[in-house]
Amino acid sequence: MNEANHSPSSVPAPVPERAGVGLKAPHYQTVIDNQPDIGWFEVHPENYMGRGGAPLRYLERIRRDYPLSLHSVGTSLGSHRPLDQQHLNNLKKLVDRFQPGLVSEHLSWSHGYEWFTHDLMPLIYTEQALSLVVEHVEQVQETLQRRILIENPSSYLQFKQSTIPEQEFLVEAARRSGAGLLLDVNNVYVSCRNHNWSIAAYLDAIPPQLVEEIHLAGHAVQSLQGVELLIDDHGSPVSSPVWELYRTCIERIGPVPTLIEWDSNVPTFEVLMGEAQSADYYLNTVREVDRAAAV
């Protein structure tokens, strides 16, 4: 059967300005059976690039009832090598099949000349790297025939060769390519704490109109040679400082689709729902303030 005939929807379902969660295999049946009151789901498309199998069948079933976002981890926008066109073609097939409301990728790289890593490697922020990232984002958008979002990374080191602050690099990459931004609030907190950057200065450089999605996640705290290091491990609840930073962000930006990421030590679906309900509480609070101000 032609893949197009599998498509649960012929047009993209907009992702609502509500909280969503990452869809995990242990939760497929729970979602189907219980039809939880949640705004949307996000998946890594690389987990669904097979020609068939249970993951695709479950995703098709869930997509009938919920909007979907595809959050890629394998495009390698910052690679010095040409992008893998076969990977882009596979991504295009999934976009056409599932019609997600949002498609996003990380500001990072993951493959070199003879190797590939599943880690999201940091970039050297220079004009040369910026031109390369813009070229690659444009190639992805041309292949998909749609705008994508670029996500700010979490980082644990800085390159002496960098000449552009990370937030300025991110914004300029979006502006030059026509992409939008996925603002990972936990990554902002982790990177700024690790490098002693000003969180306020980082956020002030982000134009609110470019932000179309927010990510929230938990992080771990480790000690490295006596220095505290924050690790974006997506393995715990969102921390109190990150919730406060999220509130600050949406007061400035306005309500946008917000994802709870939890990729390691995955809890029960009820725990994820609790985190999503907390995000919805903050979103509703901002809406109420906006309504009161408009009266």
Side-chain angles (χ1 to χ4, degrees):
M1 184 179 293
N2 188 292
E3 283 190 354
N5 294 329
H6 286 291
S7 179
S9 175
S10 59
V11 295
V15 173
E17 294 172 351
R18 290 189 58 191
V21 299
L23 181 63
K24 302 301 178 187
H27 303 148
Y28 288 153
Q29 200 62 52
T30 298
V31 173
I32 291 171
D33 291 344
N34 298 338
Q35 295 285 291
D37 179 20
I38 196 161
W40 53 288
F41 289 100
E42 184 163 279
V43 299
H44 297 311
E46 288 78 8
N47 294 331
Y48 298 88
M49 287 184 175
R51 299 190 66 180
L56 279 169
R57 291 197 299 273
Y58 278 115
L59 189 59
E60 283 180 344
R61 176 63 186 82
I62 292 167
R63 171 64 180 86
R64 294 173 194 156
D65 299 318
Y66 297 94
L68 190 67
S69 169
L70 297 186
H71 186 48
S72 181
V73 296
T75 304
S76 196
L77 293 177
S79 177
H80 58 285
R81 295 196 63 194
L83 298 187
D84 183 343
Q85 189 59 49
Q86 184 57 55
H87 182 275
L88 294 184
N89 292 341
N90 291 337
L91 180 59
K92 168 68 170 170
K93 290 178 182 178
L94 282 176
V95 169
D96 290 345
R97 182 170 181 171
F98 290 101
Q99 294 296 328
L102 297 169
V103 179
S104 54
E105 180 55 278
H106 302 78
L107 183 66
S108 65
W109 61 283
S110 55
H111 66 74
Y113 280 107
E114 296 180 352
W115 57 272
F116 177 87
T117 176
H118 291 289
D119 291 323
L120 301 169
M121 306 299 289
L123 302 182
I124 298 174
Y125 297 129
T126 63
E127 280 293 337
Q128 182 179 9
L130 178 58
S131 295
L132 186 64
V133 167
V134 169
E135 177 184 333
H136 285 170
V137 173
E138 289 174 342
Q139 182 181 348
V140 174
Q141 294 182 142
E142 182 177 354
T143 298
L144 300 183
Q145 289 296 292
R146 61 182 295 166
R147 189 185 200 209
I148 68 168
L149 310 181
I150 312 170
E151 179 185 4
N152 58 294
S154 59
S155 59
Y156 314 99
L157 56 82
Q158 299 180 72
F159 294 101
K160 292 181 179 179
Q161 298 92 332
S162 291
T163 58
I164 306 172
E166 178 181 283
Q167 62 272 30
E168 295 179 16
F169 187 102
L170 177 74
V171 169
E172 194 61 23
R175 282 175 168 160
R176 293 188 192 182
S177 65
L181 293 181
L182 191 174
L183 182 65
D184 190 311
V185 174
N186 186 63
N187 285 356
V188 172
Y189 184 77
V190 165
S191 296
C192 288
R193 283 285 304 274
N194 285 342
H195 304 310
N196 292 317
W197 295 342
S198 165
I199 293 177
Y202 194 109
L203 294 178
D204 284 345
I206 306 295
Q209 67 272 17
L210 286 182
V211 179
E212 298 183 26
E213 182 182 346
I214 284 177
H215 274 186
L216 297 172
H219 60 261
V221 181
Q222 297 184 4
S223 178
L224 182 65
Q225 298 180 347
V227 177
E228 184 180 87
L229 185 70
L230 274 55
I231 306 295
D232 176 46
D233 65 350
H234 298 182
S236 59
V238 178
S239 69
S240 295
V242 172
W243 278 123
E244 285 303 305
L245 186 56
Y246 173 61
R247 178 183 59 79
T248 298
C249 287
I250 58 175
E251 285 175 352
R252 177 174 177 268
I253 293 169
V256 294
T258 299
L259 182 84
I260 301 297
E261 289 187 294
W262 200 320
D263 297 318
S264 61
N265 304 317
V266 177
T268 63
F269 190 78
E270 288 71 23
V271 172
L272 287 182
M273 277 292 297
E275 292 286 277
Q277 288 166 353
S278 294
D280 275 331
Y281 168 80
Y282 283 98
L283 289 167
N284 289 332
T285 299
V286 169
R287 290 190 187 96
E288 290 171 4
V289 169
D290 289 345
R291 282 195 291 267
V295 174

